[in-house]
């Protein structure tokens, strides 16, 4: 009798083992509720929205500056829910170019995210060098190239393109230029940024939450490190200053409303 | 009773297993019949190190290779429609721009560096004379988009390919997602370049004990080489893949800062990648700027032409303070004889890679 139970159990076990293979094939994504998330990036100077070309701002060290161009790359978006579980947005679709000049670039919409209550977001500033050019990252090349966010001589991405003019007591309207990316395999200037939401975001098929993230331009110059344009106004492949700039930038993002 | 349990077990186990086998068999079959995607046999030489390229992520197929080859030899990748990759990388000369000091691009534009040879690329840590690119898949972006090379944008290249029915079909055959995009284009070129393994020279046949032997001159050359050159040109790739300043007088026309462009480090100024010496007899002119026409010129430089510039590599500073690596005229002859054993005619004449 015991043996018969045992056989029956075995049969069931094997049947399940066999059929579960098929079952995974039939499960389709539509059974999992998914929704969208909208993220608006607002570039600011302090608490004020950034105005390109026209407005003069005061920065650390008594220098003043105007911004003509501000572009940066956001990547590898991960959302964390109230339980601490992570939703990793597909990497190949996770590269975004934020360009102050182009309004629609400042709003990104992520789709097919598992419905859930999320409490924080993690994203990359720039392109993760360990990933480049794998996992579909190179499909971002055309967009980056058109926006001059690619160094053609190295096929490497510029994570930040920040240009304008500055004045000090001695000089007036001198151009400045920060082009920051990783230096081949030599120096990784990619950074990850995590921000906690003010309140959990309830994301569902019927509810597309909006997240507003501010980027304070002032902090590029002045946060963990203080940079003077009069010390160096052209920073590109600079192993000393480029890491300082991206470290400062990790403090430049904040949730302004959600 | 026990026996029947056993039979039952076998039945169920095989039921599961058969299903699995059938599926995988069908998949393979589908892949081959629908896409003509037959995986190519990429044989790795026994005397080589492990490849740096993750072959499993982009296994070369017949269709992918053929597409990559077409792209490699297609002037469409340039702004003028006539400069292909193969224009500067000519197979007969180990894919270098034979006799050209620096490479020529669109409309006769001149570059600043000598086109490096293409071979054994899947074993390389990074690419170009200054190591500016760290992955083979990304490498074609540099010549395609550089003004004085192919002077084209990736966006334009993709548009041209998408409007070409033949490419549409080739991409469909080569890639499961049937898409002409940057990734697929770069992967196809990599599949072509990946197969360029040069490991069938006399040298290889000697070290693999395949019945070849060095003659006296070559043997002597090997001894001198191992003592005086193999510190940098090491291993079966004949490069340690490091960056060094080898004491060339700075050419004011280019004032090329070398590796420093990539790292921004003063300590890397004037350093260039130690090149592989495979097929070196056919890849003249030599050095990053193609300044030397013959191997003799190169050896003369190391013997008596090295000058003190910023970051001169310590191997060129002798104990007595003199610069260079002293070589007798006989030693130079011997080294050249040895280097000639690195010429791999089977590679240089391999039909798989030839344009026509």
């Amino acid at each position: 009798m015991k043996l018969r139970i045992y056989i029956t159990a075995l049969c069931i076990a094997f049947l399940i083992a066999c059929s579960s293979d098929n079952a995974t094939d039939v499960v389709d994504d539509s059974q999992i509720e998914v929704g969208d998330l909208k993220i608006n990036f607002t570039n600011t100077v302090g608490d004020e929205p950034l105005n390109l070309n026209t407005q003069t701002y005061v920065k650390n060290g008594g220098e003043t500056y105007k911004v003509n161009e501000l572009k940066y790359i956001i990547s590898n978006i991960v959302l964390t829910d109230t339980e601490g579980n992570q939703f990793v947005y597909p990497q190949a679709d996770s590269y975004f170019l934020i360009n102050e000049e182009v309004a629609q670039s400042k709003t990104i919409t992520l789709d097919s995210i598992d419905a859930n209550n999320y409490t924080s977001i993690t994203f990359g500033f720039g392109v993760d060098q360990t990933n480049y050019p794998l996992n579909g990252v190179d499909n971002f090349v055309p967009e980056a190239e058109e926006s001059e966010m690619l160094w053609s001589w190295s096929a490497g991405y510029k994570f930040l393109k920040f240009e304008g003019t500055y004045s000090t007591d001695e000089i007036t309207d001198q151009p400045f230029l920060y082009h920051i990316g990783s230096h081949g395999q030599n120096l990784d200037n990619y950074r990850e940024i995590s921000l906690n939401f003010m309140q959990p975001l309830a994301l569902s098929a019927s509810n597309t939450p909006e997240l507003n993230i501010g980027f304070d331009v002032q902090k590029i110059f002045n946060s963990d490190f203080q940079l003077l344009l009069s010390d160096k106004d052209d920073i590109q492949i600079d192993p000393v200053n480029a890491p300082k700039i991206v470290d400062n930038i990790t403090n430049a993002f904040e949730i302004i409303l959600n | 009773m026990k026996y029947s349990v056993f039979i039952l077990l076998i039945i169920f186990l095989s039921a599961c297993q058969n299903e699995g086998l059938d599926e995988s068999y069908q998949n393979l079959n589908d892949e081959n019949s629908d896409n003509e995607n037959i995986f190519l046999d990429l044989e790795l030489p026994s005397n080589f190190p492990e490849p740096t390229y993750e072959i499993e992520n982009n296994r070369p197929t017949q269709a992918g290779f053929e597409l990559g080859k077409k792209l490699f030899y297609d002037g469409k990748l340039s702004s003028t429609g006539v400069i292909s990759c193969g224009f500067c990388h000519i197979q007969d000369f180990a894919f270098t721009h034979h006799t050209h000091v620096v490479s020529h691009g669109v409309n006769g534009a001149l570059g600043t560096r000598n086109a490096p040879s293409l071979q054994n690329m899947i074993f390389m840590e990074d690419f170009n004379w200054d190591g500016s690119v760290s992955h083979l898949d990304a490498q074609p972006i540099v010549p395609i988009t550089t003004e004085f090379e192919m002077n084209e944008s990736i966006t334009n290249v993709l548009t041209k390919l998408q409007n070409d029915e033949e490419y549409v079909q080739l991409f469909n055959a080569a890639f499961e997602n049937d898409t002409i995009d940057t990734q697929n284009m770069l992967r196809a070129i990599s599949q072509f370049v990946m197969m360029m393994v040069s490991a069938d020279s006399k040298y290889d046949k000697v070290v693999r004990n395949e019945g070849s032997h060095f003659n006296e001159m070559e043997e002597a050359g090997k001894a001198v080489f191992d003592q005086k050159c193999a510190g940098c040109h090491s291993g079966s790739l004949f490069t340690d893949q490091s960056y060094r300043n080898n004491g060339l007088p700075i050419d004011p026309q280019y004032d090329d800062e070398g590796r420093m462009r990539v790292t921004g480090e003063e300590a890397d100024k004037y350093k260039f990648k130690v090149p592989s010496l495979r097929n070196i007899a056919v890849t003249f002119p030599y050095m990053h700027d193609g300044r030397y026409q013959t191997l003799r010129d190169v050896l003369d430089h190391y013997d008596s032409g090295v000058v003190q510039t910023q970051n001169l590599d310590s191997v060129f500073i002798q104990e007595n303070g003199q610069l260079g690596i002293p070589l007798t005229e006989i030693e130079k002859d011997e080294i050249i004889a040895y280097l000639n054993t690195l010429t791999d005619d089977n590679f240089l004449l391999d039909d798989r890679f030839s344009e026509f």
Side-chain angles (χ1 to χ4, degrees):
Chain A
M1 187 57 189
K2 257 187 188 172
L3 194 57
R4 205 169 280 173
I5 292 170
Y6 182 61
I7 292 168
T8 317
L10 260 177
C11 292
I12 290 168
F14 281 116
L15 279 170
I16 289 170
C18 287
S19 61
S20 68
D21 277 349
N22 295 334
T24 51
D25 291 338
V26 244
V27 168
D28 73 274
D29 292 342
S30 61
Q31 289 179 1
I32 302 163
E33 186 187 342
V34 293
D36 299 346
L37 171 65
K38 243 171 114 171
I39 308 177
N40 304 312
F41 285 86
T42 308
N43 298 315
T44 66
V45 177
D47 292 330
E48 297 300 311
L50 170 70
N51 283 318
L52 284 183
N53 302 317
T54 50
Q55 198 160 337
T56 303
Y57 300 103
V58 181
K59 67 181 279 300
N60 56 307
E63 299 177 326
T64 61
Y65 67 102
K66 290 179 191 167
V67 181
N68 302 335
E69 185 175 0
L70 174 68
K71 295 172 184 163
Y72 50 85
I73 293 172
I74 296 298
S75 63
N76 294 339
I77 296 172
V78 176
L79 296 168
T80 305
D81 69 16
T82 45
E83 314 279 288
N85 302 313
Q86 293 195 324
F87 178 86
V88 179
Y89 199 71
Q91 275 189 340
D93 304 323
S94 200
Y95 291 85
F96 300 96
L97 177 66
I98 311 297
N99 181 354
E100 173 57 24
E101 211 171 21
V102 180
Q104 66 264 31
S105 78
K106 289 183 276 183
T107 294
I108 62 182
T109 304
L110 309 178
D111 56 24
S112 304
I113 298 173
D114 291 356
N116 209 333
N117 287 319
Y118 291 104
T119 56
S120 71
I121 184 170
T122 301
F123 56 88
F125 185 83
V127 174
D128 184 358
Q129 205 69 3
T130 58
N131 237 334
Y132 181 68
L134 307 171
N135 300 326
V137 183
D138 40 6
N139 284 332
F140 186 60
V141 163
E143 189 183 345
E145 174 188 67
E146 280 169 32
S147 310
E148 298 176 309
M149 294 294 274
L150 197 70
W151 279 303
S152 69
W153 56 272
S154 71
Y157 288 107
K158 295 171 198 168
F159 306 166
L160 171 74
K161 192 163 186 276
F162 179 43
E163 297 182 19
T165 54
Y166 73 102
S167 301
T168 65
D169 290 344
E170 277 100 47
I171 47 170
T172 308
D173 290 340
Q174 183 82 12
F176 77 85
L177 175 162
Y178 286 180
H179 291 180
I180 310 299
S182 284
H183 304 175
Q185 297 289 75
N186 218 54
L187 180 63
D188 186 1
N189 285 322
Y190 171 80
R191 292 291 183 276
E192 265 183 12
I193 291 143
S194 287
L195 301 172
N196 291 321
F197 301 151
M198 293 166 166
Q199 56 197 28
L201 276 184
L203 187 148
S204 66
S206 57
N207 185 34
T208 300
E210 277 195 45
L211 186 59
N212 290 284
I213 297 179
F215 176 77
D216 184 357
V217 170
Q218 203 88 292
K219 293 216 167 86
I220 302 176
F221 299 116
N222 187 9
S223 181
D224 291 347
F225 302 94
Q226 286 76 47
L227 291 124
L228 292 181
L229 288 165
S230 51
D231 283 348
K232 200 165 186 198
D233 53 24
D234 181 336
I235 297 178
Q236 300 191 55
I237 304 295
D238 180 331
V240 176
N241 289 306
K244 289 182 182 171
I245 289 171
V246 287
D247 284 343
N248 278 351
I249 283 171
T250 58
N251 304 319
F253 291 95
E254 65 168 336
I255 303 286
I256 46 181
L257 187 68
N258 74 266
Chain B
M1 193 58 181
K2 260 185 192 168
Y3 192 63
S4 68
V5 175
F6 187 64
I7 289 175
L8 260 175
L9 260 173
I10 287 173
I11 290 170
F12 281 116
L13 275 173
S14 60
C16 285
Q17 218 168 34
N18 274 342
E19 203 171 48
L21 269 180
D22 278 341
E23 272 172 20
S24 64
Y25 175 75
Q26 268 178 357
N27 281 344
L28 258 181
N29 206 25
D30 284 347
E31 220 169 52
N32 284 338
S33 59
D34 291 355
N35 297 331
E36 296 163 37
N37 265 357
I38 300 149
F39 286 118
L40 296 178
D41 187 17
L42 175 52
E43 210 175 300
L44 300 175
S46 61
N47 57 324
F48 273 37
E50 284 297 306
T52 52
Y53 192 88
E54 319 82 344
I55 298 166
E56 281 309 307
N57 290 343
N58 186 26
R59 260 181 87 187
T61 60
Q62 188 63 44
F65 177 89
E66 291 302 334
L67 170 59
K69 180 174 172 178
K70 186 172 164 62
L71 289 165
F72 186 87
Y73 286 115
D74 197 336
K76 271 206 176 79
L77 272 59
S78 69
S79 62
T80 56
V82 288
I83 306 292
S84 66
C85 307
F87 181 80
C88 287
H89 295 289
I90 303 166
Q91 185 187 5
D92 297 0
F93 313 106
F95 295 97
T96 57
H97 206 182
H98 187 54
T99 74
H100 286 73
V101 175
V102 292
S103 4
H104 294 209
V106 293
N107 302 320
L110 285 179
T112 60
R113 292 176 181 167
N114 182 251
S117 56
L118 302 185
Q119 64 208 342
N120 307 330
M121 301 311 267
I122 50 171
F123 302 96
M124 295 298 157
E125 310 278 347
D126 35 32
F127 304 90
N128 300 317
W129 282 105
D130 55 13
S132 60
V133 175
S134 302
H135 198 286
L136 185 60
D137 290 358
Q139 173 58 30
I141 296 170
V142 173
I144 291 172
T145 59
T146 297
E147 242 172 83
F148 52 75
E149 295 191 60
M150 295 155 88
N151 188 37
E152 186 54 291
S153 70
I154 300 294
T155 311
N156 283 349
V157 172
L158 291 175
T159 307
K160 286 188 250 183
L161 300 179
Q162 283 154 359
N163 291 331
D164 183 322
E165 191 46 43
E166 199 183 340
Y167 273 114
V168 172
Q169 285 172 16
L170 288 170
F171 273 84
N172 287 350
F175 296 102
E176 277 177 25
N177 66 1
D178 293 357
T179 308
I180 298 183
D181 60 16
T182 318
Q183 174 163 290
N184 286 343
M185 175 177 75
L186 296 176
R187 285 189 169 189
I189 297 174
S190 283
Q191 287 189 25
F192 177 58
V193 174
M194 209 185 297
M195 299 300 289
M196 295 178 183
V197 176
S198 174
D200 208 15
S201 64
K202 178 171 182 182
Y203 163 85
D204 294 295
K205 288 171 184 155
V206 173
V207 299
R208 289 197 301 255
N209 288 318
E210 291 171 3
S212 271
H213 300 281
F214 290 132
N215 64 30
E216 213 173 295
M217 187 87 159
E218 294 160 353
E219 193 69 59
K222 183 180 189 311
V224 182
F225 183 91
D226 286 349
Q227 191 203 337
K228 298 190 174 180
C229 314
C232 304
H233 295 287
S234 61
S236 49
L237 297 171
F238 287 82
T239 169
D240 64 355
Q241 307 205 36
S242 63
Y243 299 87
R244 298 173 192 250
N245 175 354
N246 65 348
L248 294 169
I250 306 304
D251 185 337
Q253 188 190 342
Y254 304 124
D255 194 25
D256 193 333
E257 62 187 22
R259 176 83 174 145
M260 184 178 162
R261 181 167 74 159
V262 177
T263 66
E265 303 278 0
E266 264 313 307
D268 286 327
K269 197 168 186 181
Y270 302 136
K271 289 185 182 175
F272 294 89
K273 190 173 198 182
V274 173
S276 168
L277 300 182
R278 286 189 166 272
N279 295 302
I280 194 74
V282 300
T283 67
F284 64 92
Y286 303 108
M287 301 298 174
H288 68 270
D289 54 8
R291 67 175 70 191
Y292 296 133
Q293 291 298 312
T294 66
L295 287 173
R296 192 89 192 178
D297 293 344
V298 172
L299 295 176
D300 287 345
H301 163 73
Y302 287 128
D303 176 29
S304 58
V306 170
V307 296
Q308 177 72 57
T309 56
Q310 193 180 339
N311 302 316
L312 175 67
D313 200 87
S314 61
V315 301
F316 300 107
I317 304 170
Q318 298 164 43
E319 271 177 33
N320 63 10
Q322 291 206 312
L323 303 181
I325 299 171
L327 293 165
T328 66
E329 294 310 304
I330 293 169
E331 284 176 328
K332 291 176 193 171
D333 291 338
E334 291 165 345
I335 291 174
I336 290 169
Y338 175 57
L339 293 179
N340 282 332
T341 71
L342 294 173
T343 303
D344 176 358
D345 287 329
N346 290 337
F347 172 72
L348 302 175
L349 303 172
D350 192 328
D351 282 341
R352 291 177 301 166
F353 307 126
S354 69
E355 183 169 8
F356 303 109

